[in-house]
Each structure stands twice: as structure tokens, then as C-alpha cells.
Amino acid sequence: MMQMNEISRAELDKYKKKYDVNYSIGDLAATISVINGVEIPSESGGTPIASVVDQAQRLMDGVGRNQKTLILCPDAVGEIHRQKYPEKLARVENISGFRILSSAVMPSVTPVCFCTIFSGASPEVHGIHTWEQPVVKIPTIFDTFAAAGKKVAIVAGNTSSMERIFRMREIDYISTRDDETAFRFTRTLMAEYDYDLIVTYLAMHDSNAHHFGCDAPETVAELEKAVSSFEILNADAEKYWKNFNRTLVFAPDHGNHRIDEVSGGHGDDIPEDMLVNHFYRVRSAGK
């Protein structure tokens, strides 16, 4: 009988093969775990990204020595957006150094994809198969970081999947009214508190795509906010975390596509929805 992590790996590999990419969004949990020296969640089918791990090992004089991690999660920013707005996503890539083109999972909706991102488990294993917000029971990086004695915070809107599905863990939850408040709280946490892992979710790019369309001015403005937020948070990391080995990640869940003249959506097994880029910036203390 296959183990849960083997089932996850097979399902993640299915989408990688279909979209002819080398990576899955499920690789984030394994990668972040390895560079921080904590256990990979037990039901993960993801693979540590060798280039990111090698860079961390080289810069930090050994594997598992990262000390501070910030993961910014803008909703519904896919490879399609890099193609349509290359100048915006180029700013993220210029900061990061690593652009990891990855396949999402089906259905390509927010709670399904973010559960895979932070557990490394596929939908068949983590059990979310539609847009619903159950509390996830399987191990995630939030559990393994907490078990290793690390301090973790999730910063997200108070009705979002990110705020709800990872509840009942020994971590801190900062529930906000909107993206701007989440962004401001994140800056405060970096400047004034000693967190080892901060995950911040930005909802409005996806929300505006649903309501106004994927390429409406209101939606593109939120993509710009996501990019500029990453730039500002990176500058904060250079200031407040400069004495720590640190990693920043820009990690969307899925892309989206046009539904009609006035709305966009996602959830389909098509490249527009299924291909996303995760960007990693790895730096050593004092650099």
C-alpha cells in the first residue's frame, strides 16, 4: 500500500508532467523546511528545490541555517500575468534571483492550492476538493516550525482561506480587514517582533479579477500593489533582518482567466490557471 507522501508525490507529478514543468507548488513546504532545518511535513509529496537549497547552503555555510522567512502570498498571480505584464513580475524576479515555474493542483482554487503549498500534500491526501474552508488536519510547515520551537505568524484577511484553514495550531494569527492592514501589520512584525516565519496573504488581486475582470484597471492596480509590497518588505528585511540568514518568497496559489467581458475566474485545468511562479530571495546575515 502506498504511503500518503507517495500518493501526494504521484498526484503532484501528474500535473508537472501535464504542463511540462520541473516543479510543483507543493515543493515550497519541503524547500522551506530544509533550509530552516525543520522536518518536512510527513504527508508532503514535494521535493526540495535544489537550486534554492544549494544557494542557502553556500551562503549560510551549511544546510538548515536559515533563521528568518517571509512568504508573501498574492492570490491569483499566474505565469499568464508574467507574460501579460512582464515589467511588473520582472521587478520581483530581479529582487529574488530564483523564478520557479510550477504547476498548481486541481481544482485550481485558493484553499486547495494553499493547502498544498503549505503541507506539500496533494488534494487526494489533504482532502480539500472544492472551494471550502475546513480546518486542515494534516501536518503543515506551521506545525513543524512550531514543533521545532520557532515562532510563526499568519497575517490574512478575516474571511480568507489563509486565515481559516490553518487554525488550531500553536502559532499566532493576525486577522485583518483588508490587504493594506495585513501589509502594515507585516511590516510591524518584522520591525518589532521576533518571528521566525511570517506568511502574509493578499486577496484583492483575485477579488477584483472576479468582480471587474482579469485585466481591468482595478485588478492590474492590485497586481502592482502586490509587487510593490514585495519590494517594500524586502527593503524591510534588509533593514530589520540584516543580522540573520533570511529568505523571502513571493508565492501565489494559481492564475486566472477571462470568463466574460466583466469577470475573471479560475479553477480549470488550463495553463492560465495552473501555471504559477514562486520567487525565492536567499541572503546570509550581514549581506
Side-chain angles (χ1 to χ4, degrees):
M1 179 180 296
M2 292 179 69
Q3 300 295 314
M4 288 298 183
N5 64 329
E6 295 173 330
I7 295 171
S8 289
R9 184 173 299 111
E11 191 172 2
L12 299 181
D13 285 349
K14 175 181 70 175
Y15 295 116
K16 287 161 55 179
K17 181 177 180 180
K18 178 172 183 177
Y19 289 99
D20 192 26
V21 296
N22 294 323
Y23 305 100
S24 164
I25 60 171
D27 294 335
L28 182 144
T31 303
I32 293 300
S33 297
V34 168
I35 67 174
N36 281 279
V38 303
E39 290 188 9
I40 297 173
S42 60
E43 297 181 16
S44 170
T47 302
I49 298 168
S51 58
V52 176
V53 173
D54 290 348
Q55 175 82 333
Q57 183 174 12
R58 183 177 63 83
L59 292 179
M60 301 173 189
D61 295 323
V63 72
R65 296 190 178 186
N66 192 71
Q67 297 166 289
K68 300 285 186 184
T69 304
L70 171 71
I71 304 175
L72 184 68
C73 299
D75 204 319
V77 178
E79 164 65 7
I80 187 65
H81 297 92
R82 193 181 73 89
Q83 295 173 9
K84 290 191 292 186
Y85 307 104
E87 74 287 350
K88 294 188 184 301
L89 276 300
R91 286 155 54 195
V92 177
E93 186 169 359
N94 288 340
I95 287 171
S96 304
F98 292 100
R99 177 177 67 85
I100 307 299
L101 180 61
S102 307
S103 56
V105 291
M106 277 294 292
S108 48
V109 296
T110 299
V112 177
C113 290
F114 275 130
C115 190
T116 291
I117 287 171
F118 291 108
S119 68
S122 69
E124 186 176 347
V125 171
H126 65 59
I128 304 181
H129 296 288
T130 185
W131 199 98
E132 58 181 349
Q133 296 178 322
V135 174
V136 175
K137 302 298 185 184
I138 68 167
T140 67
I141 64 171
F142 306 119
D143 302 287
T144 55
F145 268 67
K150 296 183 181 293
K151 192 174 181 181
V152 180
I154 295 176
V155 189
N158 55 21
T159 61
S160 69
S161 297
M162 272 298 303
E163 198 275 344
R164 292 183 172 182
I165 68 174
F166 300 115
R167 281 280 174 176
M168 301 180 67
R169 288 168 163 87
E170 295 296 319
I171 66 174
D172 292 337
Y173 302 89
I174 292 89
S175 301
T176 68
R177 297 187 309 274
D178 51 37
D179 284 0
E180 179 58 32
T181 310
F183 172 68
R184 292 202 308 268
F185 265 107
T186 301
R187 299 192 72 188
T188 299
L189 295 183
M190 295 175 73
E192 301 181 15
Y193 294 84
D194 188 26
Y195 282 96
D196 303 295
L197 170 64
I198 302 171
V199 174
T200 300
Y201 170 69
L202 302 178
M204 285 306 297
H205 178 259
D206 181 56
S207 179
N208 281 5
H210 283 293
H211 287 96
F212 302 111
C214 297
D215 300 302
E218 298 91 339
T219 308
V220 178
E222 293 301 329
L223 176 60
E224 170 61 29
K225 285 183 183 178
V227 171
S228 63
S229 294
F230 191 71
E231 291 174 325
I232 293 168
L233 294 173
N234 174 62
D236 286 348
E238 297 300 290
K239 180 178 182 180
Y240 300 117
W241 289 356
K242 65 181 178 180
N243 294 324
F244 299 94
N245 295 332
R246 58 201 181 273
T247 298
L248 274 65
V249 191
F250 187 93
D253 47 352
H254 51 69
N256 63 18
H257 65 276
R258 176 179 173 179
I259 301 295
D260 53 37
E261 293 295 330
V262 295
S263 63
H266 51 87
D268 293 344
D269 195 357
I270 58 176
E272 293 86 344
D273 293 0
M274 290 290 289
L275 287 175
V276 300
N277 293 288
H278 285 179
F279 299 86
Y280 290 79
R281 176 177 173 82
V282 179
R283 288 295 181 270
S284 58
K287 300 296 184 181

